[in-house]
Amino acid sequence: MKLCTICNKERAIVKIPSTLMSSCKECFYLHMETIVHNTITQNNLFKRGDKVAIAVSGGKDSTVLAHVMTTLNKRYDYGLDLCLLSVDEGITGYRDDSLETVKRNKIEYEIPLLIISYEELYGWTMDKIVKQIGMKNNCTFCGVFRRQALDRGAVLLGVNHIVTGHNADDIAETVLMNIMRGDFSRLQRCTAIQTATDETIPRSKPFKYTYEKEIVMYAYFKKLDYFSTECIYSPNAYRGHARVFLKDLESIRPSTILDIIHSGESYQALQEVKLNVPVKGKVVVGNCERCGYMSSNKLCKACVLLEGLNRGLPKLGIGNANKIRRMNDTGNETTPAIQNFNEVWFFVSYFSWLFQRLYLVQRLNKICLCTFIFPYNLATSRNSHLSLN
């Protein structure tokens, strides 16, 4: 029987992914909870008396986060007033089921719960957005809207802080994505443990150094109630490619995940301090002129995306955000620009439709010629051949 390498008493039943140490259940629980506790204390995420909203979706990460935060708050006497905050994106057959898990967790942990929806905030649901935009860029809309929805829900709850279940794998994937896209502006701030402005509520990631596999095993051995189905709109997400690459690297070198995070942190330290770059662990940004949400531009990404949706041009906000921001700057001059764009789009659509119809007619003519003329020519050639004989 192999003993736990931490206590040398109990039988080892699990290998800790980040260290590859064999451990018993209790030592594994203590190992993971200690990592989270050290992350909280070393980064001074909270102060006594803070009201903290735990962003929950019903999935493994947020469910374990709610359990661990409740446990640590009692064990180390943080003095925090905890509550649950959930966002309903309006995904039929997925989010409505996961919210039932959240409601059960509310009862189990005896923590207040607020559910806020896209429909209330934006007048759109993800089901409606996907019908407009398709399956390719839907995660862009959902991610932007969800982050803003959390802040708006936190204001309604009157909290001082928001914690999310982003784990080490998520952060390492984000670093890789920003490198592959050449987005060095985001690369400078994506590893920050805390994001805040003077006007917005701080958001932090207590699971920054906690592996996803550790969270899964913690939920499994603790028998926590969580929703395990993947979002029906996420299989085509760009993040999936970074995830597969990261898992391949992890299988070769388990410390790869933390190494990538530390690389991102080191990259920050080499840069000049400017707008939207972490300063002492915090990201300092500006505010949107329209809704007041934090933004590095005059309009935040959510307002840009909503502008495109409400104008019937959902893809206008993806990759063309500057165009909408310029339209917003010119005020009343935006209407002629949109009218001209609509006129051009109408003519392009019309000529595309006309070309398709002409092409179809041409194809039908060829079919008719092959159907009627070819048999006729074949028959006449046979008759001529017989007459010659």
Side-chain angles (χ1 to χ4, degrees), residues 62-339:
S62 60
T63 300
V64 172
L65 179 63
H67 179 87
V68 171
M69 286 297 297
T70 305
T71 302
L72 297 181
N73 192 35
K74 294 177 180 177
R75 180 185 300 166
Y76 297 104
D77 192 24
Y78 290 160
L80 303 178
D81 181 10
L82 301 177
C83 58
L84 302 178
L85 175 59
S86 189
V87 178
D88 181 5
E89 299 94 343
I91 304 175
T92 306
Y94 169 71
R95 183 54 71 209
D96 44 3
D97 292 336
S98 67
L99 287 176
E100 294 302 316
T101 304
V102 173
K103 293 173 184 176
R104 291 195 296 270
N105 288 333
K106 169 198 170 185
I107 298 172
E108 180 179 354
Y109 301 124
E110 299 179 347
I111 301 176
L113 167 66
L114 172 66
I115 300 175
I116 192 165
S117 69
Y118 285 4
E119 185 76 43
E120 297 172 5
L121 295 176
Y122 312 115
W124 289 83
T125 64
M126 278 309 300
D127 288 338
K128 293 178 182 177
I129 292 172
V130 169
K131 286 181 181 178
Q132 288 275 339
I133 195 69
M135 292 287 288
K136 188 175 181 181
N137 295 301
N138 54 81
C139 288
T140 299
F141 285 83
C142 191
V144 171
F145 290 162
R146 184 171 59 248
R147 284 190 292 272
Q148 189 174 118
L150 286 174
D151 279 343
R152 295 185 183 278
V155 171
L156 294 176
L157 285 170
V159 301
N160 309 104
H161 208 107
I162 305 170
V163 291
T164 61
H166 293 94
N167 55 52
D169 295 55
D170 296 328
I171 298 172
E173 289 165 11
T174 304
V175 172
L176 290 176
M177 288 170 62
N178 290 328
I179 291 173
M180 289 188 287
R181 291 185 300 203
D183 195 341
F184 293 104
S185 175
R186 285 191 174 90
L187 179 60
Q188 293 177 82
R189 65 180 187 268
C190 67
T191 57
I193 194 168
Q194 185 170 319
T195 306
T197 68
D198 293 335
E199 291 82 12
T200 57
I201 299 169
R203 282 200 314 266
S204 59
K205 312 177 187 76
F207 283 168
K208 179 180 178 180
Y209 301 112
T210 305
Y211 279 36
E212 183 180 37
K213 288 180 180 177
E214 294 174 349
I215 293 172
V216 171
M217 290 191 296
Y218 189 94
Y220 174 77
F221 288 122
K222 285 279 187 179
K223 295 181 171 56
L224 301 182
D225 182 10
Y226 68 93
F227 186 75
S228 58
T229 303
E230 186 181 9
C231 176
I232 59 177
Y233 296 140
S234 68
N236 297 325
Y238 182 64
R239 179 176 288 272
H241 302 290
R243 181 177 294 119
V244 172
F245 179 55
L246 183 66
K247 294 303 179 188
D248 289 340
L249 293 176
E250 185 190 5
S251 64
I252 301 170
R253 179 186 172 94
S255 64
T256 295
I257 293 174
L258 291 180
D259 292 341
I260 291 174
I261 294 175
H262 293 320
S263 297
E265 293 170 338
S266 299
Y267 178 83
Q268 293 175 16
L270 297 174
Q271 303 303 306
E272 294 181 2
V273 176
K274 56 183 180 180
L275 189 68
N276 234 20
V277 176
V279 180
K280 295 181 180 179
K282 288 188 178 182
V283 174
V284 182
V285 297
N287 294 97
C288 175
E289 292 181 351
R290 182 174 296 178
C291 68
Y293 185 69
M294 60 181 176
S295 173
S296 56
N297 298 289
K298 291 184 178 180
L299 286 182
C300 68
K301 188 64 174 178
C303 287
V304 170
L305 293 175
L306 280 174
E307 187 85 11
L309 286 172
N310 293 330
R311 290 180 183 274
L313 303 168
K315 293 186 179 180
L316 194 63
I318 301 176
N320 292 292
N322 290 332
K323 183 172 183 178
I324 290 184
R325 292 186 181 109
R326 287 196 302 269
M327 289 160 51
N328 182 71
D329 292 340
T330 56
N332 295 329
E333 296 177 4
T334 60
T335 303
I338 288 295
Q339 287 178 350

